Amino acid sequence: MSRTDERLVLGIDVGTGSARAGLFDLSGHMVASAKAELEIWRGPGAMVEQSSAQIWDAVCRSVRAAMHEAKASPRQVVGIGFDATCSLVVLGEEGVSLPVGPSEDPARDVIVWMDHRAVGQAERINADGHDVLKYVGGRISPEMQTPKLLWLKENRPQVYAKAWAFFDLADFLTWKATGDLSRSTCTVTCKWTYLAHERRWDPTYFDRIGLGELANDGFVRIGAHVVDPGIALGAGLTEAAAADLGLAPGTAVSTGMIDAHAGGIGTVGIEGDPFTNMGYVFGTSSCTLTSTVEPNFMPGVWGPYYSALIPGTWLNEAGQSAAGAAIDQLVECHPAAGEAQALARARGIPVSELLTERLLARASSLSEVARVAEGLHVVPEFLGNRSPFADPHARAAIVGLGMERDLDSLAVLYLAGVCGVGYGLRQIIETQAKAGASVERIVISGGAGQSRLIRQLLADAVGKPLMAPQAAEPVLLGAATLGAVAAGLFPDIRAAMATLSHPGETCLPAGGEIASLHDRRFEAFKRLQHLARDIR
């Protein structure tokens, strides 16, 4: 519980399935947190949509609940930071929502990050090969915003023409909170092809791909003013936003960030040099964050992005389009899924915890669990390969699956899937190392990364130490860190990271026979990937 005179900073994280709020003291300790669920609509052609109004309502409910839990007064909150998925929000004049899909429902005004409706547009953009693409790993992804904008123009021309503003979700939230239309270096550099190292958009890119009108308008619809994370926006919370959130008008609000990058802020500064730590955010998808002093160009790895994570440094971003979601998919397609869900529900635990218990009962240690998956291999690319192949057409491969239908066989499939995620991470790390961006340690965040078994399996699969931060919610901590900088409590983000982030448990990679086992399984993983591409 908070003392009535204690200053607090507020982190707000909007993920795919929920909005969360966390209150932190100035040592980085979380005082209280709360969350509110979000609705998702799915449509034809890999469409996934949400509602910005519902998202804002969930943000407000989670903030009010966290404040109530902490028994905090509005005046105690001195800074606010937002992060969100890199979803596209489409608004008309005066912020009126516009329908982004064939439902014609204006409430559905958000194209979610995982939406793959723009695969064809991305392929056409990549075939043109404009110079800006070298700053997204050589190939743009359908998860990024310019392919989605092109899809809107070609398939929803009236909506595209009526749009007053296109926002990355984090920038929508800061606009909603402050009325400031500034965009974040993080969002527009990572997802919109803004050239942060030159502080400009490249109008020739937009002309060539068919979005020249955005350039002709001075980029006002996507961001005429771009500022770094940690900068205080406008005059702080507006009267209207403060009333919605239950906070004080004028409270400092930072430029926002993509949710995975907020996880990076909450982790990579632990124990010193952020250039030797790789941030690994393991949630619905996974994201790796590697910072360098000089730019590194790596085919299939997004970036290099300037000032997208830590101002003044370069960032390479990689990851897997489906990580936690891939494990869920594996579990749900097994014949014993219903039984596992019923047992877990009766005990009030996640299915993953139930399966972990069964696996640990068959092994003498966390590392030894890997032996249980002998003969079963999973390449969990259900939603394509984001890195290092930038192949949205890739799909999952499973080899060694028998006709077993019991809970133990489900647990083994779960285990093989987790190992597959680990080998995908190893592939990214090895690709980056060949390009000169080596890392010494992985610092994990995200919901899936809270499992001790998963952390040890990942350390063993990759062959590098893996640290969990002390903070139970490092993404929320990262968002709150931005708010602390915006409030003037720290001179810059690196200083704030050094003070607010603290180390937790470290998993050291196993050696000997377990290391050899993972080496063999990694080779099988790569062969299956290659074979699946050849067959396709």
Side-chain angles (χ1 to χ4, degrees):
M1 298 301 175
S2 177
R3 298 192 305 271
T4 57
D5 61 343
E6 184 176 26
R7 291 186 297 173
L8 303 172
V9 286
L10 172 64
I12 299 168
D13 163 56
V14 177
T16 307
S18 65
R20 303 183 303 150
L23 286 163
F24 293 82
D25 64 24
L26 301 192
S27 69
H29 170 71
M30 189 165 72
V31 174
S33 67
K35 76 173 183 176
E37 300 301 317
L38 298 175
E39 190 169 358
I40 297 174
W41 295 279
R42 296 182 184 271
M47 293 182 180
V48 189
E49 298 169 357
Q50 288 184 312
S51 163
S52 67
Q54 189 201 42
I55 289 170
W56 179 252
D57 177 69
V59 164
C60 296
R61 286 187 286 120
S62 64
V63 169
R64 287 179 172 274
M67 292 289 288
H68 178 75
E69 179 187 333
K71 295 183 169 58
S73 72
R75 292 293 173 189
Q76 287 181 257
V77 180
V78 296
I80 304 168
F82 287 92
D83 72 73
T85 63
C86 47
S87 300
L88 175 66
V89 183
V90 182
L91 300 180
E93 289 289 345
E94 300 181 357
V96 173
S97 295
L98 298 175
V100 295
S103 72
E104 302 297 345
D105 182 354
R108 292 166 60 168
D109 59 351
V110 180
I111 302 179
V112 179
W113 66 270
M114 68 172 72
D115 184 294
H116 273 211
R117 70 182 71 186
V119 169
Q121 285 75 16
E123 289 178 341
R124 282 168 21 218
I125 292 170
N126 288 325
D128 182 70
H130 193 280
D131 283 349
V132 300
L133 298 184
K134 69 182 182 181
Y135 290 97
V136 294
R139 292 183 60 80
I140 204 156
S141 166
E143 296 174 19
M144 294 180 179
Q145 308 300 18
T146 50
K148 290 175 180 173
L149 291 175
L150 188 56
W151 185 94
L152 278 174
K153 181 179 179 181
E154 293 175 349
N155 294 274
R156 309 281 293 163
Q158 291 181 323
V159 169
Y160 179 82
K162 287 173 64 177
W164 161 72
F166 301 106
F167 289 103
D168 220 76
L169 181 52
D171 294 325
F172 163 79
L173 293 169
T174 57
W175 166 73
K176 190 77 174 173
T178 67
D180 192 322
L181 285 166
S182 297
R183 306 309 206 268
S184 168
T185 304
C186 176
T187 59
V188 296
T189 304
C190 295
K191 304 301 174 185
W192 299 70
T193 72
Y194 182 74
L195 301 173
H197 59 294
E198 298 176 0
R199 291 290 174 185
R200 70 180 182 93
W201 298 97
D202 188 332
T204 66
Y205 168 72
F206 289 86
D207 287 338
R208 277 170 48 178
I209 70 171
L211 296 174
E213 60 280 351
L214 297 177
N216 296 339
D217 293 341
F219 300 103
V220 292
R221 290 203 284 172
I222 62 173
H225 187 233
V226 179
V227 296
D228 288 344
I231 300 296
L233 295 175
L237 278 183
T238 64
E239 294 277 353
D244 288 346
L245 294 162
L247 298 173
T251 304
V253 177
S254 168
T255 317
M257 296 189 88
I258 298 167
D259 53 349
H261 299 62
I265 292 294
T267 56
V268 299
I270 290 176
E271 288 196 338
D273 191 349
F275 302 111
T276 62
N277 289 336
M278 168 185 274
Y280 182 59
V281 186
F282 188 0
T284 302
S285 63
S286 75
C287 180
T288 68
L289 302 162
T290 307
S291 296
T292 59
V293 176
E294 299 296 332
N296 279 270
F297 295 89
M298 310 175 204
V301 175
W302 292 345
Y305 301 132
Y306 186 70
S307 289
L309 185 68
I310 304 171
T313 70
W314 292 84
L315 173 70
N316 283 103
E317 178 188 351
Q320 295 141 309
S321 297
I327 305 305
D328 292 343
Q329 179 81 0
L330 282 171
V331 169
E332 289 166 8
C333 73
H334 191 279
E339 181 185 357
Q341 289 162 355
L343 286 171
R345 190 163 46 246
R347 292 179 54 192
I349 61 174
V351 171
S352 58
E353 187 174 333
L354 177 77
L355 299 178
T356 295
E357 289 176 357
R358 299 186 79 90
L359 291 168
L360 290 174
R362 300 172 62 180
S364 59
S365 70
L366 294 172
S367 291
E368 289 287 335
V369 167
R371 295 186 188 276
V372 178
E374 182 178 1
L376 183 59
H377 302 272
V378 176
V379 180
E381 295 178 346
F382 291 96
L383 199 58
N385 180 285
R386 184 185 294 170
S387 308
F389 300 113
D391 180 5
H393 299 290
R395 290 296 178 264
I398 304 173
V399 170
L401 194 63
M403 293 186 67
E404 297 84 359
R405 305 174 65 85
D406 58 6
L407 284 174
D408 283 336
S409 67
L410 171 56
V412 174
L413 182 62
Y414 167 81
L415 169 61
V418 172
C419 288
V421 171
Y423 303 137
L425 174 59
R426 178 170 172 173
Q427 196 169 47
I428 290 166
I429 291 172
E430 291 187 357
T431 299
Q432 292 192 167
K434 290 175 183 176
S438 298
V439 295
E440 296 177 7
R441 177 171 51 186
I442 303 158
V443 188
I444 194 168
S445 60
Q450 295 182 15
S451 161
R452 291 189 70 244
L453 175 62
I454 286 179
R455 294 201 298 258
Q456 187 61 57
L457 287 171
L458 293 177
D460 294 341
V462 171
K464 289 188 179 292
L466 185 144
M467 176 188 286
Q470 189 180 99
E473 299 286 357
V475 177
L476 281 174
L477 175 60
T481 300
L482 299 177
V485 176
L489 303 177
F490 298 93
D492 54 42
I493 286 177
R494 289 185 69 173
M497 289 163 63
T499 299
L500 300 176
S501 299
H502 307 287
E505 180 186 52
T506 294
C507 295
L508 298 176
E513 292 183 8
I514 294 297
S516 297
L517 170 66
H518 284 289
D519 289 342
R520 293 192 300 273
R521 291 183 63 87
F522 181 49
E523 290 303 313
F525 175 91
K526 292 187 291 183
R527 289 170 64 189
L528 286 173
Q529 264 187 334
H530 184 76
L531 179 60
R533 285 196 300 273
D534 281 353
I535 292 171
R536 193 177 80 236

